[in-house]
Amino acid sequence: IESEPMLVLEAKDYLHLFYREQSLPEAQLQERLVEIKHDYRRSLTYWQTEDELIYGAKVAWRNSTRCIGRIFWESLRVRDLRHLTTAEEIFAAIVDHIQQATNGGNIRSTISIFAPNSPGQPGIRIWNPLLIRYAGYLQANGAIVGDPAQAELTKICQHFGWQGQGTQFDVLPLIIQMPRQKPQLFELPPSAVMEVPITHPDYEWFAELGLKWHALPAVSDWRLEIGGISYSCAPFNGWYMSAEIGARNFGDVQRYNLLPAIAQRMGLNTRSKLSLWQDWALIELNRAVLHSFTTCGVTIVDHHTASAQFMRHWHREAEAGRIVPADWGRIVPPLSASTTEVFHQEMQNICLKPNFFPLPVPWK
Amino acid sequence: IESEPMLVLEAKDYLHLFYREQSLPEAQLQERLVEIKHDYRRSLTYWQTEDELIYGAKVAWRNSTRCIGRIFWESLRVRDLRHLTTAEEIFAAIVDHIQQATNGGNIRSTISIFAPNSPGQPGIRIWNPLLIRYAGYLQANGAIVGDPAQAELTKICQHFGWQGQGTQFDVLPLIIQMPRQKPQLFELPPSAVMEVPITHPDYEWFAELGLKWHALPAVSDWRLEIGGISYSCAPFNGWYMSAEIGARNFGDVQRYNLLPAIAQRMGLNTRSKLSLWQDWALIELNRAVLHSFTTCGVTIVDHHTASAQFMRHWHREAEAGRIVPADWGRIVPPLSASTTEVFHQEMQNICLKPNFFPLPVPWK
Ligand code: HEM
Ligand code: HEM
């Protein structure tokens, strides 16, 4: 027997899953596989049907071991944009994605899937790790204004001629690169980028810190793989879990590093570790994020609710005869971990497909 | 060539480490190995020197992947008690261990090593997971008074004729089992068990909750393995990291589950998850534990300091040409994780020897 090429094996695996879970007729599956093998022989690839694509993206989310929000995997909105051929068209579609997904604050989980990678060729790339992210400007004294995590990308944007305002919260332009072409810069229209000013339910001075964050978390540097086909440009979004902003983006020492300033305003004793001032400031920051998003009518989930939803998903999946592959260290929230049910759950970190895979930094 | 038995290989491995790290002469190492092989042929085991034992216990601590307190590994006090032959003698030595290690609150990291397991025989066992732990009494209505984690052991103690007071904090008796003998019960003298009443630096009502905890965390259900020799009875203690009591023992839903009561006393809105009442109560509980131990002059470390110490240990070990094998999920504290440096450190979970290994529950 001739051994089958990897792509055909991957296609078979996925098609079996797709036909089984969607209860489609076996005869049709066999026909479809014949077709795929035929296409493969001619072109070393094959073109997925829209249904295959849509279900594949949902299952890729279901298999995302780091994601605590997977209970909603079936309701993912999938935009089939494989026909777009220029960076300009892709940019316009992304602006559209941002607006439709933001939906005035009532956020809808959405993925936009652009043309698949051709065999042996680089794929379309978005250089930004997320569609919306704030610039980080390195100062002469080594300090950074804005988000330190974006300092390198900010420099690259400047190198390409972009000039930011220099505030703590300048939305970076998008860099889109078509296969074997130069990357192109596009400014997001400010009207498309919804932002939430951060205020606190009890502390009035909190607003004076001048903090804000964008409503939409849309990841753009992961490759979607379905049935052996790679989509290196397939940005997706859910809504925020408050800890992503309140604990990590604002709290991390390597990010906005706001805990010392907040603790000081709160009047905590920052000289003694026993005062647990970092822990306190962390909670107030998270309360502020939750309060602000809720007040502005922007979808957000706190880490307790997210944990409970994940456990409900866990039990639902068990009923469907599936395990929930999960990366414990990523699923467990970065604050008050042992108060959440996920902390006490043993997990199996297994890589199933379809799935999302991190892409290397494109400029290196 | 004849292949060497596992025990001899393990002995060789450890002896090489011991002679290298202690800068002992190579010739002496070869002599010692000849001796060990000779002993092995005669008895299928060998007797470690006191120096081998002492250094082995220290390295076992250094290799404990779950332990955040390893910076102090070299200062472990090792008690060589291999000559004791009866449960009564062992019990007396354990009372001694508790008193010397507690040291009036100025806690000293200590291990007591009792006779090694004979080849092919069960070893000495302490049935308690820790030398000091509170009973958990199952009530007719399914509720538990005391520590739910000890409900099963409490029932066994009662089965052996023990009767507790029925409070939330009754120290369990020790169950010691010599190889192939019946387990024996011993009551710890109350004067040996130092306890800390829990009060709060700001909230007077906290004392009214009537909480306390024991000063000494001494693990007694892990097997120490050095050079292929197993010590199934080798209880060891450090001092507490506050989160072990304030987050886990008091906070876990499956343990004392105190967060709802504390949040209520604090006047937090326990109906809304957005109030983050669990997170708040958790911090106050941890502040109370730190405050109480410090006030009573009992050694304790907060999770921020412990994390900083672990990272110092990490860099020191790197200088000594060693990695620090570590289990990220256990090292990272159960609260305010992302504010600690260890959260941001990638770790390798590798099993090196000498080491400690968890023992199965003895009554099953
Ligand atoms: C619906 C609301 C959603 C919530 C609350 C949610 C929550 C999260 C959180 C908290 C993380 C960890 C982020 C980090 O560690 O930095 C995460 C990661 C991830 N999620 Fe979700 N998610 C949602 C929707 C989605 C959707 C729609 C997809 C894909 C279709 C997805 C796929 C992933 C992937 C691939 C990761 C790993 C990527 C990374 O770490 O940046 N999630 N999610
Ligand atoms: C000196 C102060 C010490 C501190 C602050 C400390 C801290 C900790 C903490 C927080 C844990 C995790 C406990 C858990 O997850 O339940 C742990 C586990 C552990 N530690 Fe340490 N430790 C200390 C001393 C020691 C000593 C003296 C030894 C052995 C000689 C040791 C060996 C271990 C082992 C084997 C574990 C895993 C056992 C378990 O999870 O119960 N530690 N330590």
Side-chain angles (χ1 to χ4, degrees):
Chain A
I1 0 163
E2 215 182 313
S3 83
E4 288 190 319
M6 192 52 111
L7 178 60
V8 172
L9 292 174
E10 296 269 9
K12 256 187 169 170
D13 264 5
Y14 172 58
L15 268 290
H16 274 102
L17 178 152
F18 175 63
Y19 276 72
R20 187 178 64 245
E21 295 194 4
Q22 298 281 68
S23 306
L24 298 172
E26 172 72 21
Q28 209 177 303
L29 166 61
Q30 295 311 330
E31 248 175 64
R32 177 65 180 131
L33 287 174
V34 168
E35 195 174 55
I36 286 176
K37 279 185 219 168
H38 179 81
D39 287 356
Y40 177 80
R41 246 175 272 128
R42 229 194 38 232
S43 62
L44 292 181
T45 184
Y46 69 99
W47 191 259
Q48 282 162 333
T49 67
E50 197 169 357
D51 286 349
E52 288 165 6
L53 188 74
I54 292 173
Y55 196 69
K58 291 178 179 180
V59 176
W61 182 9
R62 187 178 82 197
N63 288 335
S64 292
T65 54
R66 299 183 179 186
C67 182
I68 196 172
R70 283 179 274 167
I71 193 170
F72 301 110
W73 70 275
E74 281 174 296
S75 64
L76 180 66
R77 297 164 71 101
V78 181
R79 298 174 6 121
D80 179 0
L81 299 164
R82 290 176 293 172
H83 53 283
L84 303 186
T85 54
T86 67
E88 287 76 13
E89 285 174 323
I90 289 174
F91 173 68
I94 285 175
V95 173
D96 216 48
H97 176 142
I98 291 174
Q99 283 173 319
Q100 288 187 26
T102 303
N103 189 30
N106 185 9
I107 291 178
R108 297 185 287 207
S109 297
T110 307
I111 186 168
S112 295
I113 305 178
F114 297 100
N117 300 15
S118 298
Q121 303 277 326
I124 309 168
R125 282 297 306 268
I126 297 174
W127 282 29
N128 312 56
L130 286 89
L131 296 182
I132 306 171
R133 198 101 291 200
Y134 297 120
Y137 303 99
L138 183 63
Q139 309 294 295
N141 66 1
I144 285 172
V145 170
D147 189 346
Q150 305 309 324
E152 211 177 334
L153 182 60
T154 302
K155 216 168 160 185
I156 289 170
C157 289
Q158 289 172 327
H159 175 81
F160 286 143
W162 179 75
Q163 269 208 327
Q165 304 262 301
T167 80
Q168 294 259 51
F169 300 105
D170 293 349
V171 175
L172 282 166
L174 275 187
I175 304 185
I176 299 171
Q177 182 174 31
M178 302 305 289
R180 306 199 177 287
Q181 295 185 21
K182 285 214 192 98
Q184 286 176 260
L185 236 78
F186 300 90
E187 282 272 9
L188 288 171
S191 66
V193 179
M194 190 170 191
E195 294 181 301
V196 176
I198 306 297
T199 58
H200 190 281
D202 301 328
Y203 300 141
E204 282 214 25
W205 53 259
F206 218 100
E208 293 163 21
L209 298 172
L211 305 177
K212 61 177 175 177
W213 203 257
H214 52 87
L216 196 77
V219 173
S220 45
D221 61 351
W222 285 56
R223 173 175 65 85
L224 168 62
E225 187 182 321
I226 303 171
I229 304 293
S230 276
Y231 300 91
S232 59
C233 186
F236 59 83
N237 75 276
W239 47 81
Y240 266 114
M241 180 171 87
S242 46
E244 296 179 76
I245 308 169
R248 309 298 313 278
N249 302 346
F250 280 161
D252 277 5
V253 171
Q254 320 85 310
R255 302 291 300 283
Y256 280 82
N257 190 21
L258 291 170
L259 298 182
I262 289 166
Q264 212 180 6
R265 287 271 199 154
M266 288 172 69
L268 302 179
N269 177 2
T270 56
R271 265 157 297 112
S272 161
K273 284 196 172 163
L274 298 195
S275 73
L276 302 187
W277 62 267
Q278 293 169 95
D279 310 65
W280 250 16
L282 187 67
I283 292 185
E284 295 302 1
L285 198 42
N286 277 275
R287 280 180 71 213
V289 167
L290 280 165
H291 170 79
S292 310
F293 271 64
T294 313
T295 306
C296 288
V298 175
T299 314
I300 193 161
V301 65
D302 67 87
H303 50 288
H304 300 292
T305 304
S307 164
Q309 288 174 340
F310 182 81
M311 293 310 301
R312 202 167 332 129
H313 172 58
W314 183 283
H315 295 120
R316 263 200 216 157
E317 286 292 288
E319 278 167 29
R322 293 189 291 262
I323 69 147
V324 176
D327 180 345
W328 189 93
R330 302 287 183 146
I331 296 291
V332 170
L335 78 165
S336 314
S338 64
T339 69
T340 63
E341 208 179 325
V342 289
F343 179 91
H344 304 276
Q345 177 67 57
E346 259 189 66
M347 302 178 189
Q348 289 177 273
N349 193 358
I350 290 170
C351 178
L352 301 178
K353 289 183 181 181
N355 213 328
F356 295 97
F357 298 89
L359 284 162
V361 164
W363 57 83
K364 272 181 181 157
Chain B
I1 0 162
E2 216 181 311
S3 83
E4 289 189 319
M6 192 53 112
L7 178 60
V8 172
L9 292 173
E10 297 270 9
K12 257 188 170 170
D13 265 4
Y14 171 59
L15 268 290
H16 273 102
L17 178 152
F18 174 62
Y19 277 72
R20 188 178 63 246
E21 296 193 4
Q22 298 281 70
S23 306
L24 299 172
E26 173 73 20
Q28 208 176 304
L29 166 61
Q30 295 309 331
E31 249 175 64
R32 177 64 181 132
L33 286 175
V34 168
E35 194 174 56
I36 287 176
K37 279 183 218 169
H38 180 82
D39 287 357
Y40 178 79
R41 246 175 269 128
R42 229 193 39 231
S43 62
L44 291 180
T45 184
Y46 70 99
W47 192 258
Q48 282 162 334
T49 68
E50 196 169 356
D51 286 349
E52 288 164 6
L53 189 75
I54 291 172
Y55 196 69
K58 292 178 178 179
V59 176
W61 183 9
R62 187 177 82 196
N63 288 335
S64 292
T65 55
R66 299 183 178 184
C67 181
I68 196 172
R70 283 179 275 167
I71 193 171
F72 301 110
W73 70 275
E74 282 175 294
S75 64
L76 180 67
R77 297 164 71 100
V78 182
R79 296 171 11 117
D80 179 1
L81 298 164
R82 290 176 293 172
H83 54 283
L84 303 186
T85 55
T86 67
E88 287 77 10
E89 285 173 323
I90 289 174
F91 172 68
I94 285 175
V95 173
D96 217 48
H97 176 141
I98 291 174
Q99 283 173 318
Q100 288 188 25
T102 303
N103 188 31
N106 186 10
I107 291 178
R108 298 185 285 207
S109 297
T110 306
I111 186 168
S112 294
I113 306 178
F114 298 100
N117 301 13
S118 297
Q121 303 277 327
I124 309 168
R125 282 298 305 267
I126 297 174
W127 283 29
N128 311 55
L130 286 87
L131 297 182
I132 305 172
R133 198 100 293 199
Y134 297 118
Y137 303 99
L138 182 63
Q139 308 296 294
N141 67 1
I144 285 172
V145 170
D147 189 347
Q150 306 308 324
E152 211 177 335
L153 181 60
T154 302
K155 217 169 159 183
I156 289 170
C157 289
Q158 290 171 326
H159 175 81
F160 287 142
W162 179 75
Q163 269 209 326
Q165 303 263 302
T167 79
Q168 294 259 53
F169 300 104
D170 294 348
V171 175
L172 282 165
L174 275 186
I175 304 185
I176 299 171
Q177 181 174 30
M178 302 305 288
R180 307 200 177 288
Q181 294 186 21
K182 284 214 192 97
Q184 285 176 261
L185 237 79
F186 300 90
E187 282 271 11
L188 288 170
S191 65
V193 180
M194 190 171 193
E195 294 181 301
V196 176
I198 307 297
T199 58
H200 190 281
D202 302 328
Y203 299 141
E204 282 215 24
W205 52 259
F206 218 100
E208 293 163 21
L209 297 171
L211 305 177
K212 61 176 175 177
W213 204 257
H214 52 87
L216 196 77
V219 174
S220 45
D221 61 350
W222 285 55
R223 174 175 63 85
L224 167 63
E225 188 182 321
I226 303 171
I229 303 292
S230 277
Y231 300 91
S232 59
C233 187
F236 59 83
N237 76 276
W239 47 82
Y240 266 115
M241 181 171 86
S242 46
E244 295 181 76
I245 308 169
R248 309 298 311 279
N249 302 347
F250 281 160
D252 276 5
V253 171
Q254 320 86 309
R255 303 290 300 283
Y256 279 81
N257 191 21
L258 291 170
L259 298 182
I262 289 165
Q264 212 180 5
R265 286 272 200 154
M266 288 172 68
L268 303 179
N269 177 2
T270 56
R271 267 156 296 113
S272 161
K273 285 197 173 163
L274 299 195
S275 74
L276 302 187
W277 61 268
Q278 293 168 95
D279 311 65
W280 250 15
L282 188 67
I283 291 185
E284 295 302 1
L285 198 42
N286 277 275
R287 280 181 72 212
V289 168
L290 280 165
H291 170 79
S292 310
F293 271 63
T294 312
T295 306
C296 288
V298 175
T299 314
I300 193 160
V301 65
D302 67 88
H303 49 289
H304 300 292
T305 304
S307 164
Q309 288 172 340
F310 182 80
M311 292 310 301
R312 204 169 330 132
H313 172 57
W314 184 281
H315 296 120
R316 262 200 218 159
E317 287 291 288
E319 278 166 30
R322 293 188 291 261
I323 69 147
V324 176
D327 180 345
W328 188 92
R330 302 289 183 145
I331 296 291
V332 170
L335 78 165
S336 314
S338 64
T339 69
T340 63
E341 208 180 326
V342 288
F343 178 90
H344 303 276
Q345 176 66 57
E346 259 189 65
M347 302 177 190
Q348 288 178 272
N349 193 357
I350 290 170
C351 178
L352 301 178
K353 288 183 180 180
N355 213 328
F356 295 97
F357 298 90
L359 283 162
V361 164
W363 56 83
K364 273 183 178 154

